[in-house]
Amino acid sequence: MMSSSLTSSDSSHDAEGEPDMHHAESVTRKFDRDWLRRLLVKHAHNHPNMPQDLVEKALVVAPMVDASDLPYRLLARRYNTSLCFTPMIHARMFLEKPGYRHKFWKYNGMPPQDRPLIAQFCGNDKDVLLKAMKLVEAHVDGVDINCGCPQQIAKRGGYGAFLLEEDNGDLIVDIVRHLAKHMNVPVSVKVRILPSGLEDSLALYKRLVDAGAAMLTIHGRTRLQNKVLTGAANWDYIREVVNLLGDRVPILSNGGISNMDDVIRCLEYTGADGVMSSEAILEYPPLFSETNVLCTDYKRIGPGRLQIAKDYLELCEQYPPNEGGQGSGMKCVRAHLHRFLHADLQVHTKVRDAVVQAFSMEAAWDVVNVIQTLQEKNDHDIRNEQLSWYVRHQMDAARHGGGQRDFDDEKKDSTEEEEDDNCCSRDMFGPVCADENDGDY
């Protein structure tokens, strides 16, 4: 179906390779071009249903605060997700606040089935970032710098997408050079397109790779494309990045992924080493499987949303999100239930209210049991399930004069607001941010 050129290993310590002598660089590269492919191939036995031509491509769960928590990652890994990022970790808070650190990390690392894993951090102080990353280095396959968050909390904190523009990019380049020199796992950067355009973006990305970045994840939007102005991800820009730097480091594409048909189209069009999904896969973790695609007539042949909700709650009981699982306890659980069961909750509003008031696992299970009873009463057919929460903004636009679009058209285009990096998730449960003033920490 497509050609591939990656490589990797169970621990990124095994990914070291010879320095790349084809490019004049300011640092000696610790990790060769194929480190990611080796990592994926080494873990391929965990995905027996993965299409053979995708074994060497990364199918990635994005870093999302109170969303890419440990129990959720373990659930997604059951359905071909081959690489996960932790939620964004605030480096200084991770160092200074024991409560925050307890929430975000287990003393001996994550369980072995939660690999490969990349820990994402935010911050703008290279020494603070290094100290925080060193605390998890032995338990992850890489570390990542968040340069994608477009929200105001990131602007106030001087991190996320705004860090790319600080000092004409000099600050982030210096941070990458410092981390790449001292870290023993690959250092990657998740970026957006600069507001000034593609040419400036490509120049900065090249500087990041020259400084030692071992991988780039390109969100094909600018920081100005946010919320109601999100628009479609620009795969043309991502393809330009691959053409410029893809022979030196792996490039992941972020944006515009709603099912496996989109995955294949994106990989073929951009030439990227993998795709990253956030919002669509949040609603339906089996996104990276052959379900709700053209060859199934867009019917759901994978597990139904109710089963997904049950499986997630079972994992939460085994790995509580607020005990090293990177989630804010029941706030995290409620948000996931809202996304999984969004289509049901739009019809059964009293049950939706019960989700908002679910402050215990028992209450969460009560919600799921009520939904099961309602589905059985209404002869619910799993095959007819479609994404609901993911396309909520398109549906709103249609109701307010944008014109109703049929489902086939929805499949062909990106949603109005999608894959917003979720550095600060916001939904019916309120903002969920790594804010230093958040009382949870």
Side-chain angles (χ1 to χ4, degrees), residues 163-177 204 207-208:
L163 186 57
L164 294 174
E165 301 168 52
E166 191 71 28
D167 297 333
N168 293 316
D170 290 349
L171 179 56
I172 183 59
V173 170
D174 185 53
I175 290 172
V176 169
R177 182 179 294 109
L204 178 56
R207 293 176 65 195
L208 295 176

Side-chain angles (χ1 to χ4, degrees), residues 47 110 146 167 176 217 221 240 256 259 266 275 306 318 351 364:
H47 307 287
M110 298 299 115
N146 182 317
D167 297 333
V176 169
T217 300
R221 300 181 176 96
E240 290 295 326
N259 63 15
C266 180
V275 296
L306 179 65
Q318 187 175 0
V351 185

Side-chain angles (χ1 to χ4, degrees), residues 66-102:
D66 261 343
S68 58
D69 50 288
L70 173 61
Y72 172 81
R73 295 197 303 269
L74 294 177
L75 177 60
R77 290 182 189 277
R78 295 177 179 178
Y79 304 102
N80 290 339
T81 290
S82 57
L83 176 63
C84 289
F85 281 60
T86 69
M88 181 190 74
I89 302 171
H90 193 294
R92 182 174 57 79
M93 293 174 65
F94 192 70
L95 284 178
E96 298 177 359
K97 301 199 173 189
Y100 183 90
R101 190 162 57 249
H102 173 74

Side-chain angles (χ1 to χ4, degrees), residues 21-241:
M21 303 305 293
H22 297 290
H23 301 270
E25 300 177 356
S26 56
V27 298
T28 299
R29 305 199 70 81
K30 294 181 180 179
F31 303 95
D32 67 17
R33 170 62 178 78
D34 276 351
W35 72 266
L36 178 61
R37 184 176 67 87
R38 288 194 298 275
L39 185 65
L40 297 171
V41 170
K42 197 163 188 176
H43 287 270
H45 64 279
N46 294 320
H47 307 287
N49 297 318
M50 179 79 76
Q52 190 58 38
D53 53 355
L54 292 178
V55 168
E56 298 182 352
K57 294 289 186 178
L59 304 182
V60 189
V61 163
M64 300 171 285
V65 170
D66 261 343
S68 58
D69 50 288
L70 173 61
Y72 172 81
R73 295 197 303 269
L74 294 177
L75 177 60
R77 290 182 189 277
R78 295 177 179 178
Y79 304 102
N80 290 339
T81 290
S82 57
L83 176 63
C84 289
F85 281 60
T86 69
M88 181 190 74
I89 302 171
H90 193 294
R92 182 174 57 79
M93 293 174 65
F94 192 70
L95 284 178
E96 298 177 359
K97 301 199 173 189
Y100 183 90
R101 190 162 57 249
H102 173 74
K103 167 188 162 180
F104 269 93
W105 205 252
K106 293 181 179 293
Y107 179 74
N108 292 318
M110 298 299 115
Q113 60 268 39
D114 188 34
R115 302 290 286 271
L117 181 66
I118 292 178
Q120 188 191 69
F121 289 81
C122 71
N124 56 22
D125 184 310
K126 63 184 180 183
D127 293 316
V128 171
L129 281 164
L130 179 62
K131 290 177 183 177
M133 290 176 174
K134 280 291 183 181
L135 292 177
V136 306
E137 180 181 58
H139 307 292
V140 298
D141 300 283
V143 291
D144 186 76
I145 308 168
N146 182 317
C147 289
C149 183
Q151 300 191 29
Q152 286 302 304
I153 188 173
K155 183 177 182 179
R156 292 195 301 270
Y159 59 84
F162 303 92
L163 186 57
L164 294 174
E165 301 168 52
E166 191 71 28
D167 297 333
N168 293 316
D170 290 349
L171 179 56
I172 183 59
V173 170
D174 185 53
I175 290 172
V176 169
R177 182 179 294 109
H178 184 67
L179 297 177
K181 178 180 178 181
H182 296 286
M183 292 297 295
N184 295 314
V185 294
V187 175
S188 60
V189 191
K190 188 175 188 298
V191 301
R192 283 185 176 238
I193 305 297
L194 290 174
S196 56
L198 178 61
E199 185 176 345
D200 288 344
S201 300
L202 292 175
L204 178 56
Y205 302 160
K206 182 180 182 300
R207 293 176 65 195
L208 295 176
V209 173
D210 288 345
M215 181 174 73
L216 298 178
T217 300
I218 313 297
H219 187 154
R221 300 181 176 96
T222 73
R223 64 172 173 80
L224 304 177
Q225 291 177 268
N226 184 24
K227 299 178 181 176
V228 296
L229 301 176
T230 296
N234 194 320
W235 288 358
D236 290 313
Y237 280 13
I238 297 172
R239 183 167 61 177
E240 290 295 326
V241 180

Side-chain angles (χ1 to χ4, degrees), residues 249-285:
V249 297
I251 306 293
L252 302 183
S253 176
N254 180 208
I257 302 299
S258 64
N259 63 15
M260 277 297 285
D261 287 347
D262 291 336
V263 169
I264 302 305
R265 280 194 292 266
C266 180
L267 291 173
E268 291 181 339
Y269 188 80
T270 65
D273 297 276
V275 296
M276 175 182 284
S277 178
S278 58
E279 286 204 352
I281 203 166
L282 274 183
E283 179 175 352
Y284 192 61

Side-chain angles (χ1 to χ4, degrees), residues 259-261 289-299 301:
N259 63 15
M260 277 297 285
D261 287 347
S289 58
E290 293 289 343
T291 183
N292 296 107
V293 292
L294 180 61
C295 69
T296 68
D297 195 28
Y298 296 115
K299 296 294 184 180
I301 62 173

